[in-house]
């Protein structure tokens, strides 16, 4: 301790200069990445996301939602798995680029793509059905999401689940993500509840999804609508995630009781829009995804 | 000499502030109402100038209590729950925080289900719209009220002077933090507005020309929707939300009036700007149900006696 103190006292000027140079270098390198823009093919949506997941094409529901939508609407797109270091202007990890224009947030990306490509997947549904589908999308993206996030990054850790290995991220990143989710969900509101209360509201959301779906093939009937992407993106995270996670145990116990239509729905969406699913996952980090 | 006067003045000021804070905290720590068993104590932040609350969640919960004729008293002291939120309630000594958990608790205790006439898929839609309203639309309203233009919020919060300034300053900071964590606070004002109009249009489209949200009879989701829409129609004068609803979605205005007439016939008594306003702190509502419940349990006891 004393020797460290002496060292700092003796070389304080050198330490300050090194720290300043270090910060400047990191800042310049990060900014340079933005200055040197990659050139992408014209008229192709570039979907920036994190890398492929172990059991689903993405471990973030919004990237899976957006990519499923691009496939559903048959939009020409390519993936760029760089958003860990190349985040959106809003500091999030799912965004798109199209002919030099950047759009962040999965819902705004969908609306942008609809305008640019003159697409409206929901136009043949009644206004009431479209309204109900929007409410389902909000419930899933603004509420169910937080319960799953809390389970993955906060409660699973407390239950001794090795999230770092499951998600192939360093232990420190899991801790930082957990702190971030705790803070964000506290501000949002769901994070102020106890684990039992979070489980309760998660179950209620899943039960509502199941009851709304009923015997239908997709949310609004025989054809898919844009909200199907949001629901699939979110359910996939617990349908195909590791059975060690408490979130998966809760989900699977509901499937067994009377909500099995959710599982069937996930399989149907995967078959319809992800015939190349096996090429888009890492199979538990045992191989690289080829697509 | 001057220095001594300044120091003395400073000490007096700090002591005064500490006493005020201590009194404020003490008031919030004691229970102010003794109520009969099975009467809900509903803790909320006090009435508003233009509506019975300046917040949607107390109004949702109080409307639910009225819809289900649950005996309750109001405590307008502004005491916060263990989750640092309001409203919350006490029932036979048990504290329950979060408006929806309060609703669930009452449903279980009193064996009430306002949705029992609905098929499962409609109950699901009701839940989804409640989440759309409370987890999404609500935040667009907060950002509108506490954004760059504070004219509207100054008209609505029933405080004046330093208390008003401090309340707004504090709420702005909290909302900035909360909406950033939520995600919606990262969007531009125009993007937030597009989210608000999409949500309001969805609510209007689903309501259509029905009397209540799910049909001809009210259900649980009506409490949440009414609580939120009252904010727009009554508590956000000259805001974009108010203009948009009144100019484009008149069925939502009609819906608010219907709910108000049905469950708040005494609305004017709970609005600060009304000449017939009365402070109802401590007044028991639906006392007859409380006595009926007590009588029911007493009759049951008597029937066990062998004479």
């Amino acid at each position: 301790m004393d020797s460290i103190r002496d060292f700092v006292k003796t070389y304080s000027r050198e330490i300050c200069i090194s720290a300043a140079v270090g910060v400047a270098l990191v800042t310049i390198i990060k900014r340079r990445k933005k200055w040197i823009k990659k050139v992408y093919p014209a008229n192709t949506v570039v979907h920036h996301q994190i890398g492929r997941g172990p059991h689903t094409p993405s471990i973030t529901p919004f990237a899976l939602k957006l990519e499923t939508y691009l496939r559903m609407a048959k939009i020409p797109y390519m993936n760029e798995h760089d958003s860990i270091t190349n985040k959106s202007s809003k500091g999030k990890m799912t965004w798109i680029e199209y002919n030099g224009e950047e759009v962040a947030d999965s819902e705004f990306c969908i609306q942008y793509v609809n305008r640019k490509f003159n697409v409206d997947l929901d136009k043949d549904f009644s206004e009431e059905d479209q309204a109900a589908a929007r409410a389902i999308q909000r419930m899933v993206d603004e509420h169910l999401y937080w319960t799953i996030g809390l389970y993955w990054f906060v409660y699973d850790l407390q239950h001794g689940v090795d999230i770092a290995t499951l998600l192939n991220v360093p232990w420190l990143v899991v801790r930082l993500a957990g702190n971030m989710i705790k803070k964000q969900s506290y501000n949002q509101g769901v994070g102020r509840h106890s684990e039992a209360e979070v489980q309760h509201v998660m179950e209620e959301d899943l039960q509502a999804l199941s009851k709304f779906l009923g015997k239908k093939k997709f949310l609004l009937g025989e054809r898919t609508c844009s909200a199907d992407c949001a629901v699939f993106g979110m359910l996939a995270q617990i349908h195909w995630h590791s059975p060690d996670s408490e979130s998966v145990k809760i989900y699977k116990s509901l499937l067994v009781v009377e909500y099995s239509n959710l599982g069937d729905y996930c399989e149907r969406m995967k078959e319809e829009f992800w015939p190349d699913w096996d090429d888009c996952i890492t199979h538990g980090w045992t191989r690289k995804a080829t697509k | 000499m001057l220095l001594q006067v300044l120091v003395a003045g400073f000490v007096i000021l700090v002591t005064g502030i500490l006493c005020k804070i201590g009194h404020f905290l003490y008031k919030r720590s004691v229970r102010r109402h003794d109520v009969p068993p099975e009467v809900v104590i509903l803790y909320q932040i006090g009435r508003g100038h233009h509506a019975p609350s300046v917040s949607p969640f107390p109004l949702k919960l109080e409307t639910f209590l009225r819809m289900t004729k649950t005996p309750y008293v109001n405590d307008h002291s502004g005491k916060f729950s263990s989750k640092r939120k309001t409203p919350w309630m006490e029932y036979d000594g048990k504290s329950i925080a979060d408006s929806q958990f309060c609703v669930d608790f009452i449903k279980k205790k009193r064996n009430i289900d306002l949705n029992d006439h609905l098929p499962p898929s409609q109950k699901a839609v009701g839940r989804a719209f409640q989440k759309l309203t409370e987890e999404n639309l609500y935040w667009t309203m907060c950002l509108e009220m506490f954004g760059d233009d504070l004219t509207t919020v100054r008209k609505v919060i029933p405080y004046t002077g330093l208390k008003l300034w401090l309340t707004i300053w504090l709420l702005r900071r909290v909302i900035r933090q909360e909406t950033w964590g939520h995600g919606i606070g990262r969007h531009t004002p125009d993007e937030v507005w597009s989210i608000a109009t999409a949500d309001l249009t969805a609510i209007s489209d689903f309501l259509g020309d029905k009397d209540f949200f799910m049909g001809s009879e009210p259900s649980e989701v009506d409490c949440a929707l009414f609580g939120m829409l009252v904010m727009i129609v009554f508590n956000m004068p000259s805001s974009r939300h108010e203009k948009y609803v009144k100019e484009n979605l008149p069925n939502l205005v009609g819906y608010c009036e219907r709910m108000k007439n049905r469950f708040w016939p005494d609305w004017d008594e709970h609005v600060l700007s009304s000449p017939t306003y009365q402070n109802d702190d401590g007044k028991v509502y639906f006392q007859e149900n409380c006595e009926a419940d007590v009588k029911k349990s007493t009759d049951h006891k008597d029937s066990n006696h062998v004479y």
Side-chain angles (χ1 to χ4, degrees), chain B residues 164-183:
Chain B
L164 175 66
W165 182 88
L166 207 59
T167 306
I168 293 177
W169 178 80
L170 207 64
L171 285 174
R172 262 188 125 187
R173 281 172 61 95
V174 163
I175 282 165
R176 208 173 292 152
Q177 197 178 306
E178 288 181 346
T179 51
W180 186 265
H182 174 282

Side-chain angles (χ1 to χ4, degrees), chain A residues 90 105 108 128 131 135 138-139 142-143 146 184 186-188 192-193 197 201 204-205 208 211-212, chain B residues 83-84 98 101 121 124-125 127-129 131 135-136 177-178 181-182 186-187 191 194 199 202 206:
Chain A
K90 292 176 180 159
D105 186 83
F108 289 145
E128 195 172 309
R138 297 302 199 218
M139 180 180 76
E142 307 296 340
H143 195 250
W146 293 105
Q184 286 178 351
Y186 184 87
N187 283 324
Q188 187 273 345
R192 296 178 201 222
H193 302 322
E197 288 168 340
V201 299
E204 285 189 323
D205 280 358
K211 287 175 189 168
F212 184 80
Chain B
K83 290 180 182 160
R84 291 171 63 188
D98 186 85
F101 289 154
S121 60
V125 170
R127 181 181 178 82
F129 269 99
K131 293 307 169 195
E135 308 293 344
N136 209 50
Q177 197 178 306
E178 288 181 346
H182 174 282
R186 300 176 199 222
H187 302 317
E191 286 170 340
S194 73
D199 283 356
F206 192 84

